[in-house]
Structures are given as C-alpha cells and as structure tokens.
C-alpha cells in the first residue's frame, strides 16, 4: 500500500471542519467570560468543579493524540495483550493518585499546584524542581499534540504538516486564553461527549467493516505464540512493566492531573477519579483493538510508520463521512490535552514562579492573570516551533519520565513523614537523575559489577512502587509488607536479568536511588515538621481583592458559567 491509496479529504473540507470545531469551541467559552477574571478561578475554578465536569475533564485530558496511535501500535506489536498493557496501566495512573490526592487536598485545600504545597513544606529549591519537571512535561505534551495535528492534516488532506500545526496551536490558544482553566474543563466536557459519541460509531464500524469477530478469530492463526498469549513476557517487559513503573510518576509529575485534583470539589474526588479511570480504560483499550485487527489481517503499516495504522484502517474500510468523523475525533482529543497543558503551564508560572518566588506573598491578582495569559501565548509559540523541528520525542519523554520517577517518593513522603528535609528532597532527586542517566545511556559496563549495582537499586525501586501503591489504599503496615516482599522478589528474579532491559532498569533506578538517599538523609535529621502550618501558608490569591469590593449581590451567572464551576 502506498500513500496514494489513502483516501484524502479536500483542503476546503478540512479547513471547514477545523473552523467548525475551533469556532464552536470558542463560541462555547464566550458564555463564561468575565470582565474581571479572578486568579483562583483562572487556575482552579475556585475548587468547585463538580463530579460530572471533573470526571469528563480528567478523561478527556488523559486521552491525548498518542493514546490513539500508541494503543493501536501496542495491539499491532504485542497482539491480544497489547491493548490491555497500554490501556489498563494508563487508567491506573488516574486511580492511584486518588488516595494521595486526598492527602494533598487536606494539607493544602486552597492550593492551585502541587508545587505550592511543596513550597510550604520545604521552600523554593524543592518546589522549583517540581515546577521545572511540570513545565518540561507540559511543553513536550504540547509539542506532541501539535505534531499529531500536523501529521493528521498532512495524511488526510493536501494541506501541509506546518499548516496543521499552526491551525491547531492558534485554535487551542483562542478558546483557552481568556478564561483559562474554566474554559479548559468546560470544553473538555463537550469534547468528551463528542469523542464518546464518535468513538461508539467509529470503533465498531471499523471492527465490523474488517469482518468482525469471525475474522478476528480466524486471523489469530497468523499471530506468533507470544502475540496470542495474555501473559506474553515480551509484552510485559517491553510494554506493561515500563508503563506500570510510570503509573505513580505520571500521576505525581503531571500538573494537568494535580490541577484537576485541586479544582474538584473535595467531596467528589473519589467518584471523579474512579469514573475517569473506567472511561479512559474502556476507550483506549477499544482503540488498541483496531491495531490487533490490523495484525490479524496481515496489514502492513503505510511507509513502515506505525502512526499510519489507524488512518489506514479508517481510510481503507470506511466511507468519507466516517473519515471526517475520525478527523474530528483526533482533533478533539489532542485539543483537550493541549488546552489542559496551557492551563497547567499558566498555573505553574502564576503560582509557583510569580506568586511564591517573585511577588513573595505580595501578589497583584491582575498582574498574576497577565503572567498566566502571557505564559499561554509563549508556550503555544514554543510548542509550534518545536513541533516543526520534528525532535526526538521519545528521548525527551524518557528523560521527563525519569525526572518524575525521581520525585515520586520525596513528594509523597514529604506529605506523610515529618522528618523529610528540604536538603534530603533536593539531593535525592539530583542523585537519582545522575544515576538514571548513567544506567539509561549505559555510561558504565552493565555486564559486570556495574550491572549488579544498578539491579540492586532497581530492586529497591520496585519495592518502593509496590509499597507506595499498597500504602495509598491499605495503610502503612500493608505498604511496608508489600514493599519488602516486592524487594525480595526483585532481588531473586531481577538480578542478572534486568540489565538487558535498560529502559526499565533506569526507571526503577530513579525510584530506588531517590528513596534510599532521601530516607538516609532524613533519618540523620532532627527536624520535625508541623503539617498544620501548610494550610496557613497556602491561601487563595484573590481573597484580598474580593475583600476590597463593596458587598453587592452577585448577578445570576450564565448557564455555561454555572456548569464550569458547579458544586
């Protein structure tokens, strides 16, 4: 199959579809605009997002462009277990932040970012490490989504890659700039409803157009033994295990998650996160099944590029109207994540950089809003430029993933253990990053004692991950027992073996090193922290401005505004 065999929409059709999507989204946000925007509303909707909006926003944000392509690639590469290994672990990233998220909200109920909590706990150096990792992750996410828009437009129409990147960047900025996070969650809700409606049509349509269950079963004979097994070791070690390791790292390190955690009404955190977990898993595993179907039919990816699998399937088996629906489906998913990235970046620059390190408590709310909007404009420009460079995204994602893995234990322990110090937090993260790079890029010979050294650190990392997950849901005792059992299992089965899987080895090393250094340094400290002081140090930024206003009865808000801040 060559590029000419793909059905393409006309340039006019694609432009009209993009205008309809971004124009409609922009008009939707007009109803929540305010002449005097409040900084806390701009960042977290005054912590009053309700269950329905919150769950929809979380799901739409977590389903990004890569979810389409990577889920199908996983199904195509690893067979029947591929979609599970991609969708299930991705869904658990949402679920496992829930117990820790309740602790974060209890300690700092007025926070807009996790960095504010860490600043109140430790000070600037720890907070800026967290903020830097969040900024880097969000910029890369923006770049990935704009790149996906350019690739989609260039594959399904005569328009150029750069045209797709620029239209997507300007379109997302247009509807997010004025109302910030409120616009993001409101459009997320509408986009998710459209996504689910289209997905319910597109996924089954492709499935049955290719022959349905009978063809799927018949095609299983074309798969290898590993691809037909639900317990494929190849799929587990190359796809499932690295994703499992990243479960807590992405949940802790991604500001788009913590921003929604602080925005949702505290009483609705549990149902919001549970619903988002189920919604994400169902949609993404369904997308992965399209890749599995392509594998069973013996289809080859166009030009050897796995990202072409889903466009090939849609273009090859469905009529033009479904191709147009698929186009909107992908544009909606990448836009919902991109607007969340812009909102996250603006909140970090407003609260973590301007509020805590420049204004130092003497915040001008209007200047703060200006900082947020300028951040969105600059971030969009940077995302468009970087997307045009076609940089090696995988290398950058691995680096950010390791940085997030290095901060998981210091961040969580800082919220439960009063002996963690600022120095222990900072030093442990930096040492973990250095050792991660040594292992990931094989700067030492991993075949000898060096490999054994890193496998020991990685075994500690494995114990930490299992221990923290068990601790979050079942408490300290169960967490310790689960962590020790996992450590012993890793020491028995991973030594002499894990060095052959450097991505997994390096990621676990980041966890193990930061935990080891942080615990040793904290045990040597006599410092004891009073957690009650965090809430006193993290307040609302707009309180002073609201107190200065005369006491007038508020006007009834438009329906869309009430929806975006519903209780």
């Amino acid at each position: 199959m060559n590029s000419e065999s793909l059905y393409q929409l006309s340039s006019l059709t694609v432009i009209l579809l993009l205008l309809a999507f971004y124009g409609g989204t922009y008009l939707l946000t007009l109803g929540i605009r305010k002449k005097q925007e409040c900084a806390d509303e701009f960042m977290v909707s005054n912590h009053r997002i309700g269950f329905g909006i919150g769950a929809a926003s979380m799901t739409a944000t977590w389903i990004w462009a890569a979810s389409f392509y990577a889920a199908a690639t996983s199904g195509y590469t690893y067979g029947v277990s591929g979609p599970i290994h991609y969708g299930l672990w991705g869904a658990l990233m949402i679920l496992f932040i829930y117990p820790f998220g309740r602790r974060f909200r209890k300690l700092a109920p007025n926070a807009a970012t996790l960095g504010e909590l860490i600043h109140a706990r430790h000070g600037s150096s720890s907070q800026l490490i967290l903020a830097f990792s969040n900024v880097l992750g969000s910029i890369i996410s923006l770049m990935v989504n704009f790149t996906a828009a350019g690739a989609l437009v260039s594959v399904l129409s005569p328009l150029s890659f750069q045209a797709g990147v620029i239209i997507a960047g300007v379109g997302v900025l247009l509807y997010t700039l004025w109302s910030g996070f409120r616009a993001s969650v409101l459009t997320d809700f509408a986009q998710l409803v459209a996504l689910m409606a289209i997905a319910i049509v597109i996924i089954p349509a492709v499935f049955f157009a290719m022959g349905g269950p009978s063809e799927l079963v018949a095609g299983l004979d074309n798969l290898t033994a590993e691809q037909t097994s639900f317990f494929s070791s190849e799929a587990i070690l190359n796809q499932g295990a690295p994703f499992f390791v990243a479960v807590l790292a992405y949940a802790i390190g991604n500001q788009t998650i913590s921003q929604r955690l602080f925005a949702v009404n505290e009483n609705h955190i549990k149902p919001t996160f549970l619903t988002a977990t189920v919604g994400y898993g169902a949609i993404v595993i369904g997308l992965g099944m399209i890749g599995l179907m392509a594998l069973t039919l013996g289809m080859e990816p166009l030009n050897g590029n796995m990202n072409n699998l889903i466009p090939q399937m849609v273009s090859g088996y469905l009529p033009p109207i479904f191709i147009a629906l698929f186009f909107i489906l992908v544009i909606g998913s990448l836009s919902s994540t991109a607007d969340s990235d812009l909102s996250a970046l603006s909140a970090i620059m407003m609260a973590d950089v301007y509020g805590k390190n420049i204004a130092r408590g003497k915040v001008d709310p209007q200047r703060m809003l200006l900082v947020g909007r300028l951040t969105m404009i600059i971030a969009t420009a940077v995302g468009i430029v970087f997307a045009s460079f076609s940089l090696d995204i995988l290398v950058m994602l691995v680096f950010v993933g390791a940085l997030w893995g290095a901060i998981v234990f210091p961040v969580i322990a800082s919220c439960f253990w009063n002996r963690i110090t600022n120095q222990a937090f900072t030093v442990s993260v930096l040492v973990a990053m250095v050792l991660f790079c040594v292992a990931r890029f094989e700067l030492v010979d991993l075949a000898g004692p060096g490999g054994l050294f890193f496998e020991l650190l990685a075994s500690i990392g494995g114990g930490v991950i299992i221990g923290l997950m068990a601790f979050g849901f079942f408490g300290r005792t169960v967490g310790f027992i689960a962590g020790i059992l996992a450590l012993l299992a890793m020491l028995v089965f991973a030594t002499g073996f894990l060095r052959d899987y450097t991505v997994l080895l390096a990621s676990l090393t980041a966890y193990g090193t930061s935990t080891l250094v942080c615990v040793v340094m904290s045990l040597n400290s006599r410092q004891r922290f009073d957690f009650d002081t965090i809430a006193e140090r993290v307040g609302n930024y707009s309180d002073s401005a609201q107190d200065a206003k005369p006491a007038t009865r508020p006007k009834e808000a438009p329906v869309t505004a009430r929806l975006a801040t519903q209780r």
Side-chain angles (χ1 to χ4, degrees):
M1 182 180 285
N2 54 40
S3 58
E4 284 74 22
S5 64
L6 276 180
Y7 179 87
Q8 286 194 322
L9 303 168
S10 69
S11 298
L12 179 61
T13 301
V14 168
I15 290 174
L16 289 176
L17 286 173
L18 290 171
L19 283 176
F21 177 81
Y22 287 118
T25 309
Y26 174 75
L27 292 174
L28 190 64
T29 62
L30 288 181
I32 60 172
R33 277 193 175 185
K34 294 181 178 180
K35 290 184 178 179
Q36 294 294 327
E37 193 74 40
C38 161
D40 292 306
E41 284 184 332
F42 192 85
M43 291 189 289
V44 287
S45 286
N46 284 335
H47 314 281
R48 298 192 306 174
I49 294 295
F51 161 65
I53 292 284
S57 179
M58 182 72 75
T59 307
T61 297
W62 211 234
I63 298 175
W64 62 331
S67 300
F68 285 76
Y69 303 117
T73 299
S74 184
Y76 185 85
T77 305
Y78 300 112
V80 295
S81 65
I84 303 295
H85 281 301
Y86 190 92
L88 178 63
W89 303 128
L92 289 182
M93 291 179 190
I94 303 172
L95 179 65
F96 276 93
I97 190 59
Y98 153 69
F100 301 112
R102 295 197 67 175
R103 175 67 174 173
F104 299 156
R105 281 295 295 268
K106 182 179 180 181
L107 292 176
N110 295 321
T113 69
L114 191 55
E116 286 187 285
L117 190 159
I118 295 301
H119 184 275
R121 175 69 174 85
H122 291 307
S124 294
S125 61
S126 300
Q127 177 219 15
L128 289 177
I129 285 177
L130 186 59
F132 171 74
S133 71
N134 290 158
V135 168
L136 195 58
S138 292
I139 289 291
I140 291 176
S141 177
L142 264 183
M143 181 178 65
V144 170
N145 283 290
F146 292 162
T147 300
L152 183 71
V153 168
S154 63
V155 167
L156 292 183
S157 80
L159 293 175
S160 68
F161 173 86
Q162 287 76 13
V165 169
I166 293 173
I167 292 173
V170 173
V172 171
L173 178 65
L174 186 68
Y175 70 78
T176 313
L177 182 63
W178 189 258
S179 300
F181 182 75
R182 292 190 305 124
S184 176
V185 294
L186 178 62
T187 55
D188 280 348
F189 180 80
Q191 287 163 355
L192 181 68
V193 171
L195 284 175
M196 293 184 71
I198 296 173
I200 288 172
V201 175
I202 291 287
I203 295 176
V206 172
F207 184 70
F208 286 103
M210 295 178 67
S214 59
E215 284 295 323
L216 178 64
V217 173
L220 291 177
D221 294 336
N222 300 327
L223 275 59
T224 65
E226 285 283 334
Q227 289 172 329
T228 55
S229 172
F230 271 108
F231 305 100
S232 163
S233 59
E234 186 178 339
I236 292 173
L237 290 171
N238 290 301
Q239 177 77 56
F243 258 53
F244 184 78
V245 169
V247 164
L248 283 177
Y250 275 74
I252 294 292
N254 196 320
Q255 166 64 12
T256 61
I257 297 295
S258 54
Q259 191 172 21
R260 279 154 182 77
L261 178 67
F262 287 114
V264 171
N265 186 312
E266 193 167 357
N267 296 327
H268 298 153
I269 291 178
K270 182 177 181 179
T272 296
F273 278 69
L274 287 176
T275 304
T277 299
V278 174
Y280 172 90
I283 293 175
V284 174
I285 290 174
L287 291 168
M289 293 301 293
I290 295 180
L292 176 60
M293 285 293 294
L295 176 66
T296 59
L297 292 178
M299 176 177 284
E300 293 293 330
L302 180 63
N303 300 325
N305 188 346
M306 289 289 189
N307 290 343
N308 288 330
L309 267 179
I310 289 189
Q312 272 180 267
M313 302 284 277
V314 173
S315 174
Y317 288 93
L318 298 180
I321 182 64
F322 284 90
I323 299 174
L325 289 174
F326 167 76
F327 183 83
I328 292 297
L329 181 69
V330 180
I331 291 295
S333 71
L334 67 89
S335 297
S336 65
T337 307
D339 66 42
S340 300
D341 287 323
L342 289 181
S343 299
L345 284 165
S346 65
I348 291 170
M349 297 304 291
M350 291 167 71
D352 293 346
V353 177
Y354 171 75
K356 297 300 180 187
N357 292 284
I358 296 178
R360 295 183 180 276
K362 299 178 181 179
V363 170
D364 178 345
Q366 293 308 309
R367 184 171 297 175
M368 197 173 194
L369 285 168
L370 179 62
V371 169
R373 290 184 175 122
L374 288 176
T375 299
M376 288 184 174
I377 295 172
I378 294 171
T380 301
V382 171
I384 290 174
V385 171
F386 280 6
S388 302
F389 287 162
S390 299
L391 299 175
D392 191 336
I393 294 170
L394 182 59
V395 172
M396 301 183 73
L397 283 175
V398 168
F399 180 80
V400 172
L403 181 57
W404 287 347
I407 65 176
V408 167
F409 181 83
V411 167
I412 292 178
S414 295
C415 296
F416 290 90
W417 191 18
N418 62 2
R419 296 182 68 167
I420 301 288
T421 65
N422 184 43
Q423 189 178 26
F425 187 111
T426 306
V427 173
S428 64
V429 173
L430 295 178
V431 172
M433 282 305 301
V434 171
L435 291 183
F436 163 81
C437 291
V438 173
R440 178 65 185 86
F441 302 109
E442 301 185 44
L443 300 181
V444 298
D445 183 13
L446 296 179
L452 179 61
F453 171 73
F454 283 104
E455 285 172 343
L456 293 176
L457 288 175
S459 296
I460 296 174
V464 170
I465 293 171
I466 298 299
L468 285 176
M469 288 178 170
F471 166 69
F473 285 99
F474 305 109
R476 183 178 303 175
T477 303
V478 176
F480 269 118
I481 294 173
I484 291 171
L485 291 176
L487 169 60
L488 294 175
M490 289 283 292
L491 289 174
V492 172
F493 296 108
T495 49
F497 167 76
L498 197 58
R499 66 191 67 181
D500 294 332
Y501 299 88
T502 52
V503 174
L504 183 58
L505 176 73
S507 299
L508 288 171
T509 296
Y511 275 94
T513 304
S514 64
T515 302
L516 191 61
V517 175
C518 190
V519 169
V520 171
M521 292 185 66
S522 298
L523 288 175
N524 289 325
S525 169
R526 295 183 178 180
Q527 175 181 306
R528 301 292 185 273
F529 183 79
D530 181 5
F531 286 110
D532 292 336
T533 61
I534 291 179
E536 300 170 3
R537 297 174 183 177
V538 183
N540 286 318
Y541 290 102
S542 304
D543 282 349
S544 58
Q546 290 174 350
D547 292 344
K549 293 179 180 179
T552 55
R553 184 177 180 178
K555 294 180 179 179
E556 185 71 11
V559 172
T560 49
R562 294 200 301 272
L563 188 61
T565 57
Q566 70 172 10
R567 289 179 182 275

